[in-house]
Amino acid sequence: MQTSVAIIGGGLAGLHAARLLHAANIDFLLFEARDRLGGRIFSVDETGSVSADGFDLGPSWFWPQMQPTIGALVAELELPAFVQASDGDVVFERMSREPPQRYQGYRQEPQSMRLTGGTNALVRALTAELPENCIFLSRKVTAAALGADGVTLTVSNSTGGQESVQAGHVIFALPPRLLEATVSFSPPVSTAMASRWRQTATWMAPHAKFFALYDRPFWRQEGLSGTAQSMVGPLVEIHDATTATGSAALFGFLGVGADERQSIGEDLLTHACVQQLGRLFGEKALQPRATLFKDWAADPATATKADRTGGAHPSPDRRPWVDGAWQPFISLAGSETSQTDPGYLSGAVDAAARTVSAIIGSRRDAANRR
């Protein structure tokens, strides 16, 4: 296979880059290691299957006032959104030997927004604008070799076979740390560049989310917002995860480290989380109709061994992510590389737009020199 631009990663950054290239009439091929598009965006039903009215196991919130880049894309795609439910009292669990305390809630500013149907609504809208024959799922890029006219990629498929892809330019729309750990380069990238990629923490990769689904949001009728904080655990931060259509749920971030989660196991963690929700929200919380659990640190398409411990939130950094001989031929466009909102949904949009703009500018300059 041959293409002007190869995009590695079918998350928000990769899909937005594909959309912008397609609009500019630049041919591309997109390769995604998973059997689905979306990357860390993962909106599912109660069985864990991707859904058009799903619960967000990955990122859920965006703030259009603080992050106009994502706000503009949501508006352009005409995606309906709604405010994160936060009306009512909050619950705070300080220690195991005393009951949780209830406090008056407060209005959140700026308000967190959620997309109707889950964050996967972005994935569906972007994918709908792309030619199907340009997207390849279950394709893992394992190597990149630099030649005189571009890059040769080695791509593994789900059956264990390999194929080569020739590309004039490659956009790596995945976390820098994951790129450094999973793709070999010939010639090798510079020591400084590899070190920087490796030291850039993949945002939210060490974390796990737990959801308890109910027939109705009973906590609202009892004057509770669904928001809780705990110093006891296993959940440390809990919120109302009810969908725009009224499918009721509570979700929380686990405060248990990745290695300890692996040792305890999902079944015991699920039981402990449900028991905690019962302490915080009463007996009705002890009877969820379903539960969901997603440990991102155990997802090889997201995290490396280095991501099993928490890392600092990536900071905007205007230094080039690529140097040396590779600089004209590859770009990094994962959310962590954003110059405005690294790690966030908005960062993925920004990084993709910045990368495609540079490619278009480079092609224009080359045409003018002819």
Side-chain angles (χ1 to χ4, degrees), residues 74-272:
V74 168
E76 183 181 349
L77 296 173
E78 299 182 341
L79 299 177
F82 63 102
V83 176
Q84 164 67 36
S86 59
D87 291 341
D89 292 347
V90 301
V91 180
F92 186 70
E93 188 176 40
R94 192 183 311 275
M95 57 185 67
S96 59
R97 63 175 181 267
E98 66 179 35
Q101 302 297 309
R102 178 169 173 164
Y103 297 94
Q104 183 177 355
Y106 57 91
R107 180 180 174 84
Q108 186 183 57
E109 290 293 347
Q111 292 180 311
S112 300
M113 302 296 296
R114 293 168 56 193
L115 289 171
T116 300
T119 313
N120 203 55
L122 275 169
V123 176
R124 293 192 299 274
L126 293 172
T127 305
E129 298 187 9
L130 303 177
E132 292 184 8
N133 62 352
C134 292
I135 297 176
F136 298 85
L137 300 179
S138 300
R139 298 295 200 281
K140 183 178 181 181
V141 173
T142 58
L146 184 59
D149 299 321
V151 180
T152 301
L153 298 171
T154 301
V155 184
S156 299
N157 58 38
S158 58
T159 62
Q162 290 188 340
E163 52 196 327
S164 292
V165 176
Q166 305 290 327
H169 194 94
V170 180
I171 298 175
F172 287 102
L174 67 165
R177 178 178 280 175
L178 185 67
L179 170 61
E180 192 276 335
T182 59
V183 179
S184 63
F185 288 84
S186 177
V189 299
S190 71
T191 301
M193 188 163 71
S195 177
R196 185 183 177 200
W197 294 359
R198 188 168 52 249
Q199 292 174 11
T200 300
T202 301
W203 182 236
M204 297 305 291
H207 294 276
K209 294 178 78 172
F210 172 82
F211 285 72
L213 282 52
Y214 300 95
D215 292 329
R216 58 187 178 83
F218 58 85
W219 53 92
R220 296 182 181 179
Q221 297 171 351
E222 297 170 9
L224 293 170
S225 63
T227 301
Q229 292 185 333
S230 173
M231 299 177 67
V232 178
L235 301 172
V236 294
E237 180 183 334
I238 299 163
H239 298 276
D240 186 324
T242 302
T243 69
T245 57
S247 295
L250 293 167
F251 96 88
F253 296 100
L254 277 86
V256 181
D259 291 338
E260 190 176 358
R261 293 197 300 268
Q262 184 178 28
S263 176
I264 295 171
E266 182 178 335
D267 290 344
L268 288 178
L269 283 171
T270 294
H271 176 76

